[in-house]
Amino acid sequence: MSEILVVGSLAYDSIKTPSGTADRALGGSANYFSLAASLFAKVRVVGVVGEDYDQKDYDLLQTRGVDLAGLSKVPGKTFHWEGSYEGDMNEAKTLKTELNVFEHFNPQLPEHFKDSSFVFLANIAPELQLQVLEQVKSPKFVGMDSMNLWLTIKKDKVIEVLKKVDLVLINEGEAKMLTGANNAISAAPMITEMGPSAVVIKRGEYGFAMYTKADGYFILPAMPIATVVDPTGAGDTFAGGFFGYLAAQKEVPTTTHMKQACIMGSMMASHTIQDFSVKSLAKVTLGDLDKRLNEYKKVITI
Ligand code: AMP
C-alpha cells in the first residue's frame, strides 16, 4: 500500500445552514481528506494548528493511523473559517477567513514524508502547496484542490501549481472562474490544457464530471440525499475517498481506477453532508460504504 501525503487546513469552522448552526466545529480540508482517505491507506499530514487545538481532535486522526509528524503546533490561534449556505447548498458563502497560524506557516517535511508516492495539495494558499510539493522526491501521482478565494487573489500562483499536478479536483463555480467557461463540460478540457492530465469537477447533488486527456468524459450524478444538513467538507471528503482508493491499488492509476475512485469519493461525501462538521464522516465504516454503493447502483442502472 502506498502512503498519501496531504497538505491542507486544520480548522475550526462556524457554519450556518438551513438545518442549524455549528460553532467552532472541527473542519479544514486536511481533516476531511485524512478521515476519508485513512479508511483505505496510510495518510501523512502536513499542516499547522494553534494553541487552542483540542487534544481530542489530534486523537481523532491518530486513532485512524494518520501520521502527524508534519503537523506543527505554534503560538497563536488555529485557522478559522465562517461560512453559510442559503438556497444553493452547493456553494458556501464565506463570511470570515482568519488565517491565524497559517499566515506565517513555513512547511518543512519530516524526512520520512519525502518519499510519499501520492500527494494531495488540499485547499490552502497556493504558495504553501508549491512549497510542500517541491520537497517530495518523486511522487507517483499528485492532485490538487483550490477555492474561489485563491482564484480571486492569487490566480497566477494557482496556475503555477496546476502545471505540476496530474489531477485537479475543483468545484463547478471554481472551474468556471478559472477558465471563463460558462459550463463544466467546456471548462474540463480547458483545465487539462493548463497542465493536469485529468480533472474532476464537483457539482454537488449533480455529482461530478471527470475528464481525462486520454479517455475524455466520465459523468455521474451524486447519491440522492434529500436532506443536506451541512455540505462543508464534501469536496475534501470526495478527494480523500478518491485518493485513498487509488493509493490502495497496486498499479499506477489508470482511467478505470480513477473512475472507480470517483464513485468511492462520491459515496464517502454523501455521508459527510448528513451531519455538521466531521460528525458523520468520523463514524463511517467500509461496511457503510459498501451498503451505500449497492443503493447507488440501483440509482444509476436500468
Ligand atoms: P469544502 O466544503 O470541501 O470545499 O471545504 C470546506 C473546508 O475548507 C472547511 O472546513 C474550511 O475550514 C476550509 N477552508 C475554507 N476556506 C479556506 C481557505 N481559504 N484555506 C484553507 N481552507 C479553507
Side-chain angles (χ1 to χ4, degrees):
M1 193 206 285
S2 310
E3 284 83 8
I4 310 169
L5 175 102
V6 59
V7 58
S9 55
L10 295 102
Y12 286 129
D13 293 340
S14 299
I15 300 155
K16 189 164 171 249
T17 80
S19 298
T21 57
D23 190 34
R24 303 194 74 81
L26 184 63
S29 53
N31 267 321
Y32 284 105
F33 180 93
S34 302
L35 283 170
S38 59
L39 275 182
F40 300 98
K42 278 290 280 179
V43 180
R44 298 163 164 174
V45 173
V46 179
V48 65
V49 294
E51 286 153 323
D52 55 343
Y53 204 69
D54 208 306
Q55 185 60 41
K56 72 172 180 356
D57 298 329
Y58 280 103
D59 295 346
L60 179 64
L61 291 186
Q62 241 148 8
T63 53
R64 302 285 280 263
V66 176
D67 190 337
L68 298 179
L71 178 59
S72 5
K73 189 173 202 170
V74 301
K77 283 179 88 177
T78 298
F79 176 87
H80 177 239
W81 177 75
E82 215 174 294
S84 76
Y85 302 82
E86 293 151 22
D88 184 0
M89 295 297 279
N90 298 333
E91 201 80 57
K93 195 163 141 215
T94 294
L95 304 174
K96 210 186 268 174
T97 301
E98 291 168 356
L99 291 177
N100 299 332
V101 290
F102 266 109
E103 223 161 321
H104 303 290
F105 183 44
N106 174 25
Q108 296 302 322
L109 263 51
E111 217 35 56
H112 69 285
F113 276 27
K114 294 183 180 170
D115 67 356
S116 304
S117 317
F118 288 79
V119 178
F120 188 67
L121 310 170
N123 175 25
I124 196 170
E127 56 270 32
L128 293 176
Q129 294 179 317
L130 277 178
Q131 209 179 325
V132 166
L133 186 56
E134 275 156 13
Q135 295 174 61
V136 187
K137 285 182 194 142
S138 51
K140 214 160 48 174
F141 192 82
V142 181
M144 73 174 285
D145 188 3
S146 195
M147 74 176 292
N148 49 11
L149 172 69
W150 310 121
L151 288 169
T152 306
I153 63 172
K154 292 180 177 176
K155 189 170 173 180
D156 289 353
K157 272 274 167 224
V158 174
I159 291 173
E160 208 179 314
V161 189
L162 265 169
K163 291 195 178 111
K164 298 182 194 286
V165 303
D166 301 292
L167 166 94
V168 56
L169 289 131
I170 195 166
N171 74 31
E172 184 160 2
E174 292 150 10
K176 290 179 189 164
M177 244 177 117
L178 180 62
T179 58
N182 61 10
N183 68 78
I185 304 305
S186 60
M190 289 167 79
I191 293 173
T192 59
E193 285 305 307
M194 296 175 168
S197 53
V199 54
V200 177
I201 300 183
K202 299 164 286 179
R203 312 165 90 182
E205 79 239 53
Y206 305 108
F208 63 86
M210 179 169 83
Y211 178 85
T212 64
K213 274 186 190 163
D215 299 297
Y217 293 101
F218 175 62
I219 301 176
L220 281 172
M223 176 77 199
I225 302 289
T227 307
V228 177
V229 174
D230 174 15
T232 308
D236 308 310
T237 305
F238 184 107
F242 182 99
F243 261 71
Y245 181 86
L246 282 193
Q249 312 307 311
K250 288 191 191 74
E251 310 94 56
V252 175
T254 61
T255 302
T256 304
H257 290 133
M258 285 200 273
K259 288 181 177 179
Q260 289 159 342
C262 278
I263 293 173
M264 193 46 78
S266 255
M267 295 303 100
M268 201 83 102
S270 73
H271 284 280
T272 290
I273 63 177
Q274 289 187 293
D275 208 339
F276 279 101
S277 176
V278 300
K279 270 201 245 166
S280 172
L281 176 62
K283 288 188 295 213
V284 173
T285 63
L286 291 175
D288 296 331
L289 291 170
D290 212 38
K291 214 165 123 199
R292 190 146 283 186
L293 186 59
N294 285 328
E295 290 165 33
Y296 183 65
K297 281 182 186 158
K298 287 190 223 152
V299 174
I300 59 165
T301 42
I302 300 167

